[in-house]
């Protein structure tokens, strides 16, 4: 559970500065009270950046501080309410504190993160306390909301009032059963929601479809750790820029109409059974796709199934310039399918290839089907080979790309964790260095395995999400 909390919070901006707390309510020093001479706007900014306990303590200083506390959008994290250095935590006391803050502060709230008390609140009177909290938050407004349910393996019913959170800019849900949207009015909208993260949250396909369509400013959607919930995902969104499935299994992902979609990432370290059908329709700005895996995905472009034997005419996605592939180089059919994938993306500039760490090829693959692939001949400038173990089969692919990619400028070999030393790799590289005519691309050796973060994958400020 701690891992999930870290995953949700990692790379988020720090909402407050604890060092300020001692200045907000420290007394008895005998010095001049200079902070109270600051204007209300600045004091409100200070209070809003304090942990919620420290912010509440400022109310005892004077009626002015009480007024400032009431008018300041707060950061409420129930983690801050848990006493430090105490093994036995009285959850009733912590829940009472949450209830008090939600009841006494008029709102709105800048952040509300309930990661310790949701399970407790959901267990009282069949979830009455939790429903009271969500109702209060919906009435008063919140920008950023995180709700983490600690009950495992059973999920909990998320109160339907979450559908009234019209002020939301960011929502992260973990281990919930999402409420039905069948009765949701067309007037109900999430006009400000930009980021949505669903962590092992069970949701019906129809509910997710409505949630996406009603969130007109949604830019990022991350589905993490789900197991066929929803069983299919339909994307109809004008503003969505990043779609991420992280260790998530679903039968079908259909990008029907996504005019602004730039990044489509499906990552599952283990093969899906049955494979996910990925349908890419209207996505004219799509420039980053991966990791496509023949054992886990069935690709359909422009409503044409990409399969062997090659369809005619072959569907193309010319907007994609960054492509990531994952396959077993010792399986000839997967080698052939990857070649077919490459032909569907004629303008790739950056090509990532991830080898399966447990792949033990028994035959030397033939790269004849890789001959005359347009992107290899004319556009690929950077090749990254990940989990490179320097065996004969993987090295054969490196040699092929080294000699075939005409405009290649850089090759990055990310060595597998099991590879002990670099000397053998260096010796192999020296043996083919002179075989390439003309200018030689730069070769970079890096250490690392398959560690990756979905935050890196979904961070739109990172130019290449597959460089990790």
């Amino acid at each position: 559970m701690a891992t999930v909390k870290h995953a949700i919070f990692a790379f988020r901006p720090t909402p407050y500065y604890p060092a300020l707390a001692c200045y907000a309510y420290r007394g008895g020093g005998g010095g001049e009270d200079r902070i109270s001479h600051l204007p209300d706007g600045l004091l409100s900014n200070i209070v809003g950046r304090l942990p919620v306990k420290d912010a509440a303590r400022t109310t005892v200083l004077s009626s002015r501080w009480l007024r400032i506390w009431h008018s300041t959008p707060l950061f409420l994290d129930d983690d801050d309410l848990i006493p430090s250095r105490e093994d036995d935590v009285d959850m009733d006391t912590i829940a009472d504190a949450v209830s008090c803050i939600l009841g006494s502060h008029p709102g709105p709230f800048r952040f509300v993160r309930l990661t310790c008390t949701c399970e407790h609140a959901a267990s009282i009177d069949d979830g009455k306390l939790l429903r009271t909290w969500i109702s209060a938050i919906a009435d008063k407004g919140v920008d950023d909301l995180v709700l983490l349910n600690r009950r495992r393996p059973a999920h909990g019913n998320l109160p339907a009032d979450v559908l009234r959170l019209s002020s939301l800019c960011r929502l992260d849900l973990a281990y919930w059963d999402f409420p039905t949207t069948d009765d949701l009015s067309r007037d109900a909208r999430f006009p400000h929601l930009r980021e949505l993260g669903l962590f092992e949250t069970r949701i019906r396909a129809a509910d997710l479809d409505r949630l996406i369509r009603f969130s007109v400013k949604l830019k990022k959607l991350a589905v993490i750790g789900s197991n066929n919930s929803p069983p299919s995902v339909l994307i109809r969104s004008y503003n969505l820029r990043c779609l991420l499935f992280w260790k998530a299994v679903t039968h079908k992902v259909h990008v029907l109409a996504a005019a602004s979609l730039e990044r489509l990432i499906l990552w599952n370290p283990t093969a899906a059974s049955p494979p996910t059908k990925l349908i890419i329709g209207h996505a004219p700005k799509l420039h980053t796709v991966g990791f496509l895996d023949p054992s886990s995905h069935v690709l359909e472009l422009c409503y044409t199934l990409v399969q062997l034997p090659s369809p005619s005419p072959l569907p193309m996605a010319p907007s994609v310039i960054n492509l990531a592939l994952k396959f077993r180089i010792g399986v000839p059919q997967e080698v052939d399918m990857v070649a077919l994938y490459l032909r569907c993306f004629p303008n790739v500039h950056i090509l990532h290839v991830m080898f399966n760490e447990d792949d033990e090829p028994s035959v030397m693959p033939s790269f004849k089907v890789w001959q005359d692939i347009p992107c290899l001949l004319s556009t690929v400038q950077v090749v990254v080979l990940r989990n490179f173990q320097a065996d004969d089969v993987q090295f054969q692919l490196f040699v092929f790309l080294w000699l075939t990619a005409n405009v290649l400028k850089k090759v990055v070999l990310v060595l597998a964790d099991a590879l002990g030393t670099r000397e053998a790799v260096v010796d192999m590289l020296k043996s083919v260095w002179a075989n390439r005519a003309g200018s030689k691309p730069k070769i970079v050796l890096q250490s690392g395995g398959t560690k990756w973060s979905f935050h890196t994958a979904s961070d739109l400020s990172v130019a290449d999400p597959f460089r990790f």
Side-chain angles (χ1 to χ4, degrees), residues 235-255:
I235 300 299
R236 295 182 286 179
S237 172
Y238 183 81
N239 287 310
L240 188 67
R241 296 176 60 191
C242 178
L243 177 59
L244 172 66
F245 288 83
W246 187 270
K247 297 183 179 180
V249 177
T250 186
H251 293 320
K252 182 170 69 174
V253 177
H254 186 181
V255 181

Side-chain angles (χ1 to χ4, degrees), residues 379-441:
T379 64
V380 172
Q381 300 178 22
V382 178
V383 170
V384 180
L385 302 182
R386 187 169 292 277
N387 290 340
F388 191 72
Q389 302 184 57
D391 58 41
D392 292 340
V393 178
Q394 292 183 2
F395 189 69
Q396 192 68 24
L397 176 59
F398 164 79
V399 172
F400 175 83
L401 296 172
W402 177 259
L403 299 177
T404 304
N406 294 329
V407 296
L408 190 62
K409 296 180 180 179
K410 185 178 181 180
V411 179
V412 180
L413 301 179
V414 184
L415 307 182
D417 291 337
L419 193 63
T421 63
R422 299 187 178 195
E423 284 73 12
V425 178
V426 173
D427 291 341
M428 297 175 77
L429 296 177
K430 288 179 179 179
S431 68
V432 299
W433 177 263
N435 295 346
R436 181 184 171 96
S439 61
K440 305 295 191 293

Side-chain angles (χ1 to χ4, degrees), residues 100-151:
C100 180
I101 294 169
L102 291 176
S104 61
H105 195 278
F109 292 88
R110 183 177 289 117
F111 299 88
V112 175
R113 299 178 181 176
L114 304 179
T115 62
C116 303
T117 54
C118 278
E119 175 188 1
H120 181 76
S123 66
I124 297 177
D125 292 337
D126 195 27
K128 181 179 179 180
L129 180 58
L130 181 62
R131 291 193 297 272
T132 300
W133 289 355
I134 302 302
S135 178
I137 295 171
D139 290 339
K140 298 178 180 182
V142 62
D143 294 338
D144 187 320
L145 177 63
V146 176
L147 298 175
L148 172 62
N149 182 20
R150 290 171 172 263
R151 288 197 291 182

